[in-house]
Amino acid sequence: MRYLLLCLTFILTASIPAAAAHGEGGVDVKEIVLGHMADAYEWHITTIGGKHIGFPLPVIVRSEETGKWHLFSSSRIEEAAEEGHDYLGFYFNEQKNGKIYERLADGTSVRPWDISITKSVLQIWIVVIIMLIVFFSCARWYKKHDATKDVPKGFVGMMEMLVMSIHDDLIKDSIGEKHYRPYAPYLLTVFFFILITNLLGLLPVFPGGANVTGNINVTCFLALCTMLAINLFGNKEYWKEIFWPDVPAFLKAYPVAIMPLIEVFGILTKPFALMVRLFANMMAGHAIILSFTAIIFIGWSLNAFLGSGLTLLSFVMMLFMNCLEFLVAFIQAYVFTMLSAVFIGLAHPEHEGHHA
């Protein structure tokens, strides 16, 4: 459904003359949609009267020319660009999605080592702080009360219900009674990290608004962590099923080891599926909402009648999409955790003799 809406949004946008979208006083749909979903070296909040409101973020780069590390505000590069020069040789390369590049003495440009605190990085730290506040506050309640006699209420009760639901009904059932304990902390952390990140992404202003789970680098890292949890701690039965499965010999040894080749390929496809599923779903949701927002301004830039009709349509669709995204924020966190637990459980198969 969400992909159908995404296609409909771009069809509606494409049907409007390009002059309205890119002309003087028009709306640059590409800049609105892609600019919001892309990472940045500043946190842009809004624009009022042509003035951008936000705050710059710290830039931490290593110069390829001198080999020295530099720490400065991203506003220094913007101020230098307005004056027509680079700041310490660094500049924002708009042709490379606004990434920082360094101009060397010979005139060539290179990408330096860049560990800057970007918008996505700051959003991740905000999520980490929220998680620490939430779980330390819950832990404080359990220290002051006897959990066997007192029943938590309110926010602590809701968190206990959610944690126990994920822990008992998802992690324990998917991995198995014997092997789930070492993986429960990681899977619970992943679930709440994705959930809180998705919910903050729905907020239009600081401290939300960043499209962290719509960044494939973030989802790639989460999938890589699951891949390591699967393959570093898989038992011997798991590796036996990969390299010497219970199939006829000609399928696993001669002339071509077809089944082991397929199983090894499956080691990579599992995390790849996790990465793409989360990234595509969250990116599509943000793109749809922002596209409907842009359609409102495009309509009014043409005429009042068309603007009124598109405003009503876009408002209804944005309201529907925001409600849907609120549900998707939980579903995607649940699905990522569930699939990770299932894949980890598959890495701990029991020998048939144990069942007998």
Side-chain angles (χ1 to χ4, degrees):
M1 180 65 179
R2 60 197 294 106
Y3 297 109
L4 179 62
L5 287 172
L6 181 59
C7 294
L8 177 62
T9 300
F10 285 118
I11 290 173
L12 288 172
T13 306
S15 65
I16 298 175
H22 299 282
E24 183 178 357
V27 179
D28 191 341
V29 180
K30 180 181 178 181
E31 177 65 24
I32 292 176
V33 177
L34 298 182
H36 170 81
M37 295 189 296
D39 202 0
Y41 293 92
E42 65 172 355
W43 197 297
H44 178 262
I45 298 176
T46 187
T47 301
I48 300 178
K51 182 180 180 181
H52 297 290
I53 298 177
F55 53 90
L57 298 173
V59 173
I60 308 173
V61 290
R62 179 182 180 274
S63 173
E64 296 292 332
E65 187 80 41
T66 63
K68 296 181 179 179
W69 286 93
H70 298 276
L71 171 62
F72 53 87
S73 172
S74 61
S75 61
R76 297 289 184 89
I77 298 182
E78 295 179 352
E79 293 171 357
E82 293 177 356
E83 297 174 359
H85 60 87
D86 303 330
Y87 181 76
L88 300 178
F90 300 103
Y91 69 99
F92 291 132
N93 192 336
E94 298 301 332
Q95 297 179 351
K96 300 293 184 180
N97 298 321
K99 297 297 183 180
I100 290 180
Y101 273 70
E102 182 181 6
R103 208 183 310 272
L104 303 181
D106 58 3
T108 60
S109 296
V110 295
R111 182 87 164 94
W113 281 92
D114 186 0
I115 56 172
S116 304
I117 308 299
T118 61
K119 184 178 180 180
S120 295
V121 174
L122 181 58
Q123 181 76 94
I124 290 173
W125 280 107
I126 292 174
V127 172
V128 171
I129 293 172
I130 292 175
M131 291 177 65
L132 291 175
I133 293 174
V134 168
F135 290 111
F136 277 128
S137 63
C138 293
R140 189 180 303 111
W141 185 94
Y142 284 101
K143 286 183 178 181
K144 296 180 179 179
H145 298 79
D146 186 355
T148 60
K149 298 179 181 179
D150 299 332
V151 178
K153 299 179 181 179
F155 179 76
V156 178
M158 181 192 70
M159 290 301 300
E160 179 180 313
M161 177 194 68
L162 186 57
V163 169
M164 296 310 297
S165 175
I166 300 300
H167 181 273
D168 294 342
D169 300 336
L170 193 154
I171 299 175
K172 185 186 294 186
D173 289 348
S174 299
I175 300 178
E177 183 75 26
K178 295 178 59 177
H179 306 289
Y180 81 93
R181 291 184 182 276
Y183 303 99
Y186 162 70
L187 292 173
L188 284 170
T189 302
V190 167
F191 171 79
F192 282 102
F193 173 80
I194 296 176
L195 177 62
I196 296 175
T197 301
N198 291 346
L199 293 176
L200 280 181
L202 297 177
L203 297 178
V205 295
F206 184 84
N211 187 31
V212 175
T213 46
N215 187 326
I216 198 168
N217 296 312
V218 176
T219 60
C220 179
F221 176 78
L222 295 175
L224 181 62
C225 291
T226 298
M227 179 182 176
L228 294 177
I230 295 170
N231 296 287
L232 290 182
F233 306 105
N235 60 19
K236 62 180 181 180
E237 293 297 326
Y238 167 70
W239 291 109
K240 178 181 177 297
E241 291 181 1
I242 291 177
F243 293 106
W244 199 255
D246 294 329
V247 295
F250 71 90
L251 291 176
K252 59 184 177 183
Y254 180 83
V256 179
I258 297 177
M259 291 304 298
L261 183 63
I262 294 175
E263 293 294 338
V264 171
F265 185 71
I267 294 176
L268 302 176
T269 57
K270 291 185 180 73
F272 181 79
L274 289 174
M275 174 186 70
V276 174
R277 181 188 298 273
L278 180 60
F279 159 72
N281 279 278
M282 300 314 301
M283 182 192 69
H286 282 261
I288 292 169
I289 294 174
L290 290 168
S291 297
F292 279 121
T293 304
I295 288 175
I296 295 177
F297 296 101
I298 293 175
W300 281 103
S301 67
L302 296 177
N303 57 69
F305 176 77
L306 184 59
S308 301
L310 288 177
T311 297
L312 179 61
L313 174 64
S314 298
F315 177 78
V316 173
M317 295 304 297
M318 281 193 299
L319 183 62
F320 168 75
M321 284 303 304
N322 274 285
C323 294
L324 183 62
E325 282 297 300
F326 188 82
L327 178 63
V328 168
F330 175 83
I331 292 176
Q332 290 304 316
Y334 187 90
V335 169
F336 189 98
T337 308
M338 179 187 67
L339 291 177
S340 297
V342 170
F343 294 154
I344 292 173
L346 293 175
H348 296 276
E350 296 294 336
H351 193 273
E352 293 182 359
H354 294 171
H355 295 291

